Amino acid sequence: MLKDFRCGSCKRLLARMGENTELQIKCARCGTLNHVKALEPRVIARERDERC
């Protein structure tokens, strides 16, 4: 499932993202450098769920 990634400053749509670990993108409208990083890698989350 894709999620919208918007500029933190002007809210312009920058990308639609699926699973990722890190994304850095500069907004073409306002020039703000936006950064997203996964809180927990997907592999570790799956392993944790299998143990429970």
PDB file of all heavy atoms in Angstrom, residues 1-2 5-8 10-11 13-16 26-27 29 31-34 37-38 43 45-46 49-52:
ATOM      1  N   MET A   1       0.829  -1.178   0.000  1.00  0.00           N
ATOM      2  CA  MET A   1       0.000   0.000   0.000  1.00  0.00           C
ATOM      3  C   MET A   1       0.879   1.249   0.000  1.00  0.00           C
ATOM      4  O   MET A   1       1.821   1.357   0.773  1.00  0.00           O
ATOM      5  CB  MET A   1      -0.887  -0.017   1.248  1.00  0.00           C
ATOM      6  CG  MET A   1      -1.787   1.161   1.340  1.00  0.00           C
ATOM      7  SD  MET A   1      -2.873   0.930   2.766  1.00  0.00           S
ATOM      8  CE  MET A   1      -3.530   2.542   2.852  1.00  0.00           C
ATOM      9  N   LEU A   2       0.601   2.163  -0.886  1.00  0.00           N
ATOM     10  CA  LEU A   2       1.383   3.387  -0.977  1.00  0.00           C
ATOM     11  C   LEU A   2       0.807   4.471  -0.079  1.00  0.00           C
ATOM     12  O   LEU A   2      -0.405   4.604   0.069  1.00  0.00           O
ATOM     13  CB  LEU A   2       1.402   3.895  -2.424  1.00  0.00           C
ATOM     14  CG  LEU A   2       2.071   2.977  -3.435  1.00  0.00           C
ATOM     15  CD1 LEU A   2       1.952   3.582  -4.820  1.00  0.00           C
ATOM     16  CD2 LEU A   2       3.528   2.755  -3.094  1.00  0.00           C
ATOM     17  N   PHE A   5       3.658  11.171   0.781  1.00  0.00           N
ATOM     18  CA  PHE A   5       4.724  11.844   1.517  1.00  0.00           C
ATOM     19  C   PHE A   5       4.685  13.303   1.095  1.00  0.00           C
ATOM     20  O   PHE A   5       4.902  13.625  -0.060  1.00  0.00           O
ATOM     21  CB  PHE A   5       6.080  11.209   1.189  1.00  0.00           C
ATOM     22  CG  PHE A   5       7.230  11.877   1.890  1.00  0.00           C
ATOM     23  CD1 PHE A   5       7.320  11.874   3.266  1.00  0.00           C
ATOM     24  CD2 PHE A   5       8.223  12.503   1.163  1.00  0.00           C
ATOM     25  CE1 PHE A   5       8.382  12.488   3.908  1.00  0.00           C
ATOM     26  CE2 PHE A   5       9.280  13.120   1.794  1.00  0.00           C
ATOM     27  CZ  PHE A   5       9.369  13.107   3.164  1.00  0.00           C
ATOM     28  N   ARG A   6       4.348  14.196   2.037  1.00  0.00           N
ATOM     29  CA  ARG A   6       4.184  15.613   1.745  1.00  0.00           C
ATOM     30  C   ARG A   6       5.264  16.437   2.420  1.00  0.00           C
ATOM     31  O   ARG A   6       5.798  16.048   3.451  1.00  0.00           O
ATOM     32  CB  ARG A   6       2.810  16.089   2.204  1.00  0.00           C
ATOM     33  CG  ARG A   6       1.691  15.410   1.427  1.00  0.00           C
ATOM     34  CD  ARG A   6       0.330  15.975   1.731  1.00  0.00           C
ATOM     35  NE  ARG A   6      -0.673  15.352   0.900  1.00  0.00           N
ATOM     36  CZ  ARG A   6      -1.024  15.789  -0.313  1.00  0.00           C
ATOM     37  NH1 ARG A   6      -0.462  16.865  -0.817  1.00  0.00           N
ATOM     38  NH2 ARG A   6      -1.946  15.151  -1.011  1.00  0.00           N
ATOM     39  N   CYS A   7       5.550  17.589   1.830  1.00  0.00           N
ATOM     40  CA  CYS A   7       6.521  18.521   2.388  1.00  0.00           C
ATOM     41  C   CYS A   7       6.049  18.952   3.776  1.00  0.00           C
ATOM     42  O   CYS A   7       4.882  19.297   3.968  1.00  0.00           O
ATOM     43  CB  CYS A   7       6.662  19.734   1.476  1.00  0.00           C
ATOM     44  SG  CYS A   7       7.766  21.009   2.138  1.00  0.00           S
ATOM     45  N   GLY A   8       6.942  18.938   4.741  1.00  0.00           N
ATOM     46  CA  GLY A   8       6.613  19.340   6.094  1.00  0.00           C
ATOM     47  C   GLY A   8       6.351  20.833   6.225  1.00  0.00           C
ATOM     48  O   GLY A   8       5.734  21.279   7.180  1.00  0.00           O
ATOM     49  N   CYS A  10       5.284  23.186   3.237  1.00  0.00           N
ATOM     50  CA  CYS A  10       4.194  23.710   2.401  1.00  0.00           C
ATOM     51  C   CYS A  10       3.127  22.663   2.066  1.00  0.00           C
ATOM     52  O   CYS A  10       2.136  22.973   1.428  1.00  0.00           O
ATOM     53  CB  CYS A  10       4.754  24.315   1.117  1.00  0.00           C
ATOM     54  SG  CYS A  10       5.395  23.113  -0.071  1.00  0.00           S
ATOM     55  N   LYS A  11       3.324  21.410   2.487  1.00  0.00           N
ATOM     56  CA  LYS A  11       2.363  20.311   2.298  1.00  0.00           C
ATOM     57  C   LYS A  11       2.196  19.850   0.847  1.00  0.00           C
ATOM     58  O   LYS A  11       1.260  19.151   0.523  1.00  0.00           O
ATOM     59  CB  LYS A  11       0.982  20.654   2.879  1.00  0.00           C
ATOM     60  CG  LYS A  11       1.002  21.090   4.315  1.00  0.00           C
ATOM     61  CD  LYS A  11       1.558  20.028   5.219  1.00  0.00           C
ATOM     62  CE  LYS A  11       1.511  20.504   6.675  1.00  0.00           C
ATOM     63  NZ  LYS A  11       2.580  20.004   7.461  1.00  0.00           N
ATOM     64  N   LEU A  13       2.623  17.506  -2.304  1.00  0.00           N
ATOM     65  CA  LEU A  13       2.869  16.078  -2.470  1.00  0.00           C
ATOM     66  C   LEU A  13       4.225  15.886  -3.140  1.00  0.00           C
ATOM     67  O   LEU A  13       4.465  16.386  -4.239  1.00  0.00           O
ATOM     68  CB  LEU A  13       1.765  15.434  -3.315  1.00  0.00           C
ATOM     69  CG  LEU A  13       1.907  13.943  -3.577  1.00  0.00           C
ATOM     70  CD1 LEU A  13       1.834  13.150  -2.273  1.00  0.00           C
ATOM     71  CD2 LEU A  13       0.848  13.470  -4.557  1.00  0.00           C
ATOM     72  N   LEU A  14       5.119  15.172  -2.471  1.00  0.00           N
ATOM     73  CA  LEU A  14       6.463  14.939  -2.991  1.00  0.00           C
ATOM     74  C   LEU A  14       6.609  13.551  -3.588  1.00  0.00           C
ATOM     75  O   LEU A  14       7.333  13.362  -4.553  1.00  0.00           O
ATOM     76  CB  LEU A  14       7.499  15.120  -1.880  1.00  0.00           C
ATOM     77  CG  LEU A  14       7.533  16.489  -1.223  1.00  0.00           C
ATOM     78  CD1 LEU A  14       8.510  16.474  -0.059  1.00  0.00           C
ATOM     79  CD2 LEU A  14       7.912  17.558  -2.230  1.00  0.00           C
ATOM     80  N   ALA A  15       5.950  12.571  -2.984  1.00  0.00           N
ATOM     81  CA  ALA A  15       6.109  11.187  -3.445  1.00  0.00           C
ATOM     82  C   ALA A  15       4.998  10.334  -2.853  1.00  0.00           C
ATOM     83  O   ALA A  15       4.340  10.724  -1.897  1.00  0.00           O
ATOM     84  CB  ALA A  15       7.455  10.641  -3.009  1.00  0.00           C
ATOM     85  N   ARG A  16       4.827   9.165  -3.446  1.00  0.00           N
ATOM     86  CA  ARG A  16       3.992   8.121  -2.858  1.00  0.00           C
ATOM     87  C   ARG A  16       4.947   6.966  -2.586  1.00  0.00           C
ATOM     88  O   ARG A  16       5.676   6.543  -3.474  1.00  0.00           O
ATOM     89  CB  ARG A  16       2.887   7.720  -3.823  1.00  0.00           C
ATOM     90  CG  ARG A  16       1.881   8.825  -3.972  1.00  0.00           C
ATOM     91  CD  ARG A  16       0.514   8.309  -4.355  1.00  0.00           C
ATOM     92  NE  ARG A  16      -0.480   9.339  -4.140  1.00  0.00           N
ATOM     93  CZ  ARG A  16      -0.909  10.164  -5.090  1.00  0.00           C
ATOM     94  NH1 ARG A  16      -0.445  10.063  -6.311  1.00  0.00           N
ATOM     95  NH2 ARG A  16      -1.807  11.079  -4.801  1.00  0.00           N
ATOM     96  N   LYS A  26      14.045  16.956  -1.581  1.00  0.00           N
ATOM     97  CA  LYS A  26      13.934  18.410  -1.487  1.00  0.00           C
ATOM     98  C   LYS A  26      12.687  18.862  -2.234  1.00  0.00           C
ATOM     99  O   LYS A  26      12.447  18.478  -3.373  1.00  0.00           O
ATOM    100  CB  LYS A  26      15.167  19.070  -2.095  1.00  0.00           C
ATOM    101  CG  LYS A  26      15.213  20.564  -1.903  1.00  0.00           C
ATOM    102  CD  LYS A  26      16.534  21.137  -2.398  1.00  0.00           C
ATOM    103  CE  LYS A  26      16.624  22.605  -2.126  1.00  0.00           C
ATOM    104  NZ  LYS A  26      17.908  23.138  -2.569  1.00  0.00           N
ATOM    105  N   CYS A  27      11.881  19.698  -1.591  1.00  0.00           N
ATOM    106  CA  CYS A  27      10.652  20.203  -2.194  1.00  0.00           C
ATOM    107  C   CYS A  27      10.999  21.209  -3.292  1.00  0.00           C
ATOM    108  O   CYS A  27      11.751  22.160  -3.059  1.00  0.00           O
ATOM    109  CB  CYS A  27       9.790  20.870  -1.125  1.00  0.00           C
ATOM    110  SG  CYS A  27       8.252  21.557  -1.771  1.00  0.00           S
ATOM    111  N   ARG A  29       8.938  23.241  -4.638  1.00  0.00           N
ATOM    112  CA  ARG A  29       8.166  24.478  -4.438  1.00  0.00           C
ATOM    113  C   ARG A  29       8.849  25.423  -3.447  1.00  0.00           C
ATOM    114  O   ARG A  29       9.077  26.580  -3.737  1.00  0.00           O
ATOM    115  CB  ARG A  29       6.764  24.161  -3.943  1.00  0.00           C
ATOM    116  CG  ARG A  29       5.926  25.432  -3.716  1.00  0.00           C
ATOM    117  CD  ARG A  29       4.588  25.147  -3.091  1.00  0.00           C
ATOM    118  NE  ARG A  29       3.724  24.453  -4.030  1.00  0.00           N
ATOM    119  CZ  ARG A  29       2.618  23.824  -3.688  1.00  0.00           C
ATOM    120  NH1 ARG A  29       2.243  23.786  -2.416  1.00  0.00           N
ATOM    121  NH2 ARG A  29       1.888  23.218  -4.589  1.00  0.00           N
ATOM    122  N   GLY A  31      11.761  24.480  -1.347  1.00  0.00           N
ATOM    123  CA  GLY A  31      13.177  24.207  -1.109  1.00  0.00           C
ATOM    124  C   GLY A  31      13.482  23.510   0.212  1.00  0.00           C
ATOM    125  O   GLY A  31      14.644  23.295   0.534  1.00  0.00           O
ATOM    126  N   THR A  32      12.478  23.138   0.980  1.00  0.00           N
ATOM    127  CA  THR A  32      12.688  22.453   2.259  1.00  0.00           C
ATOM    128  C   THR A  32      13.202  21.034   2.015  1.00  0.00           C
ATOM    129  O   THR A  32      12.696  20.327   1.160  1.00  0.00           O
ATOM    130  CB  THR A  32      11.369  22.384   3.057  1.00  0.00           C
ATOM    131  OG1 THR A  32      10.917  23.707   3.318  1.00  0.00           O
ATOM    132  CG2 THR A  32      11.548  21.637   4.368  1.00  0.00           C
ATOM    133  N   LEU A  33      14.229  20.629   2.770  1.00  0.00           N
ATOM    134  CA  LEU A  33      14.743  19.267   2.694  1.00  0.00           C
ATOM    135  C   LEU A  33      13.958  18.416   3.676  1.00  0.00           C
ATOM    136  O   LEU A  33      13.956  18.662   4.882  1.00  0.00           O
ATOM    137  CB  LEU A  33      16.231  19.227   3.034  1.00  0.00           C
ATOM    138  CG  LEU A  33      16.910  17.878   2.887  1.00  0.00           C
ATOM    139  CD1 LEU A  33      16.821  17.381   1.447  1.00  0.00           C
ATOM    140  CD2 LEU A  33      18.353  17.969   3.313  1.00  0.00           C
ATOM    141  N   ASN A  34      13.221  17.430   3.165  1.00  0.00           N
ATOM    142  CA  ASN A  34      12.371  16.556   3.966  1.00  0.00           C
ATOM    143  C   ASN A  34      13.051  15.207   4.127  1.00  0.00           C
ATOM    144  O   ASN A  34      13.638  14.684   3.192  1.00  0.00           O
ATOM    145  CB  ASN A  34      11.017  16.372   3.270  1.00  0.00           C
ATOM    146  CG  ASN A  34      10.251  17.668   3.186  1.00  0.00           C
ATOM    147  OD1 ASN A  34       9.519  18.012   4.083  1.00  0.00           O
ATOM    148  ND2 ASN A  34      10.437  18.412   2.102  1.00  0.00           N
ATOM    149  N   LYS A  37      12.555   8.389   7.979  1.00  0.00           N
ATOM    150  CA  LYS A  37      13.324   7.197   8.288  1.00  0.00           C
ATOM    151  C   LYS A  37      12.407   6.227   9.028  1.00  0.00           C
ATOM    152  O   LYS A  37      11.663   6.627   9.920  1.00  0.00           O
ATOM    153  CB  LYS A  37      14.519   7.556   9.164  1.00  0.00           C
ATOM    154  CG  LYS A  37      15.500   6.430   9.349  1.00  0.00           C
ATOM    155  CD  LYS A  37      16.755   6.929  10.018  1.00  0.00           C
ATOM    156  CE  LYS A  37      17.777   5.817  10.058  1.00  0.00           C
ATOM    157  NZ  LYS A  37      19.038   6.278  10.623  1.00  0.00           N
ATOM    158  N   ALA A  38      12.454   4.961   8.644  1.00  0.00           N
ATOM    159  CA  ALA A  38      11.626   3.946   9.295  1.00  0.00           C
ATOM    160  C   ALA A  38      12.010   3.815  10.759  1.00  0.00           C
ATOM    161  O   ALA A  38      13.187   3.880  11.121  1.00  0.00           O
ATOM    162  CB  ALA A  38      11.793   2.609   8.590  1.00  0.00           C
ATOM    163  N   VAL A  43      12.112  -6.321   8.376  1.00  0.00           N
ATOM    164  CA  VAL A  43      12.543  -7.691   8.679  1.00  0.00           C
ATOM    165  C   VAL A  43      12.458  -7.946  10.178  1.00  0.00           C
ATOM    166  O   VAL A  43      11.961  -8.974  10.613  1.00  0.00           O
ATOM    167  CB  VAL A  43      13.979  -7.936   8.172  1.00  0.00           C
ATOM    168  CG1 VAL A  43      14.497  -9.284   8.616  1.00  0.00           C
ATOM    169  CG2 VAL A  43      14.023  -7.793   6.664  1.00  0.00           C
ATOM    170  N   ALA A  45      10.568  -6.449  12.357  1.00  0.00           N
ATOM    171  CA  ALA A  45       9.159  -6.464  12.760  1.00  0.00           C
ATOM    172  C   ALA A  45       8.541  -7.832  12.497  1.00  0.00           C
ATOM    173  O   ALA A  45       7.806  -8.354  13.328  1.00  0.00           O
ATOM    174  CB  ALA A  45       8.386  -5.370  12.021  1.00  0.00           C
ATOM    175  N   ARG A  46       8.832  -8.414  11.344  1.00  0.00           N
ATOM    176  CA  ARG A  46       8.300  -9.749  11.029  1.00  0.00           C
ATOM    177  C   ARG A  46       8.829 -10.790  12.006  1.00  0.00           C
ATOM    178  O   ARG A  46       8.095 -11.640  12.484  1.00  0.00           O
ATOM    179  CB  ARG A  46       8.669 -10.139   9.599  1.00  0.00           C
ATOM    180  CG  ARG A  46       7.668  -9.681   8.596  1.00  0.00           C
ATOM    181  CD  ARG A  46       7.949 -10.304   7.248  1.00  0.00           C
ATOM    182  NE  ARG A  46       7.888  -9.233   6.278  1.00  0.00           N
ATOM    183  CZ  ARG A  46       8.819  -8.918   5.416  1.00  0.00           C
ATOM    184  NH1 ARG A  46       9.925  -9.609   5.347  1.00  0.00           N
ATOM    185  NH2 ARG A  46       8.667  -7.914   4.593  1.00  0.00           N
ATOM    186  N   ASP A  49       7.080 -10.490  15.345  1.00  0.00           N
ATOM    187  CA  ASP A  49       5.708 -11.007  15.285  1.00  0.00           C
ATOM    188  C   ASP A  49       5.685 -12.531  15.294  1.00  0.00           C
ATOM    189  O   ASP A  49       4.776 -13.135  15.871  1.00  0.00           O
ATOM    190  CB  ASP A  49       4.978 -10.465  14.055  1.00  0.00           C
ATOM    191  CG  ASP A  49       4.749  -8.975  14.152  1.00  0.00           C
ATOM    192  OD1 ASP A  49       4.850  -8.415  15.272  1.00  0.00           O
ATOM    193  OD2 ASP A  49       4.463  -8.363  13.106  1.00  0.00           O
ATOM    194  N   GLU A  50       6.652 -13.166  14.661  1.00  0.00           N
ATOM    195  CA  GLU A  50       6.690 -14.626  14.611  1.00  0.00           C
ATOM    196  C   GLU A  50       7.009 -15.212  15.984  1.00  0.00           C
ATOM    197  O   GLU A  50       6.560 -16.294  16.325  1.00  0.00           O
ATOM    198  CB  GLU A  50       7.740 -15.091  13.596  1.00  0.00           C
ATOM    199  CG  GLU A  50       7.313 -14.838  12.162  1.00  0.00           C
ATOM    200  CD  GLU A  50       8.416 -15.128  11.160  1.00  0.00           C
ATOM    201  OE1 GLU A  50       9.538 -15.497  11.576  1.00  0.00           O
ATOM    202  OE2 GLU A  50       8.155 -14.952   9.958  1.00  0.00           O
ATOM    203  N   ARG A  51       7.793 -14.503  16.796  1.00  0.00           N
ATOM    204  CA  ARG A  51       8.157 -14.974  18.115  1.00  0.00           C
ATOM    205  C   ARG A  51       7.005 -14.884  19.116  1.00  0.00           C
ATOM    206  O   ARG A  51       6.939 -15.618  20.075  1.00  0.00           O
ATOM    207  CB  ARG A  51       9.358 -14.195  18.669  1.00  0.00           C
ATOM    208  CG  ARG A  51      10.656 -14.644  18.046  1.00  0.00           C
ATOM    209  CD  ARG A  51      11.808 -13.939  18.707  1.00  0.00           C
ATOM    210  NE  ARG A  51      12.364 -13.035  17.695  1.00  0.00           N
ATOM    211  CZ  ARG A  51      12.826 -11.827  17.922  1.00  0.00           C
ATOM    212  NH1 ARG A  51      12.809 -11.317  19.113  1.00  0.00           N
ATOM    213  NH2 ARG A  51      13.295 -11.102  16.950  1.00  0.00           N
ATOM    214  N   CYS A  52       6.099 -13.954  18.899  1.00  0.00           N
ATOM    215  CA  CYS A  52       4.971 -13.736  19.849  1.00  0.00           C
ATOM    216  C   CYS A  52       3.854 -14.724  19.646  1.00  0.00           C
ATOM    217  O   CYS A  52       3.618 -15.329  18.732  1.00  0.00           O
ATOM    218  CB  CYS A  52       4.411 -12.314  19.680  1.00  0.00           C
ATOM    219  SG  CYS A  52       5.610 -11.082  20.160  1.00  0.00           S
TER     220      CYS A  52
END
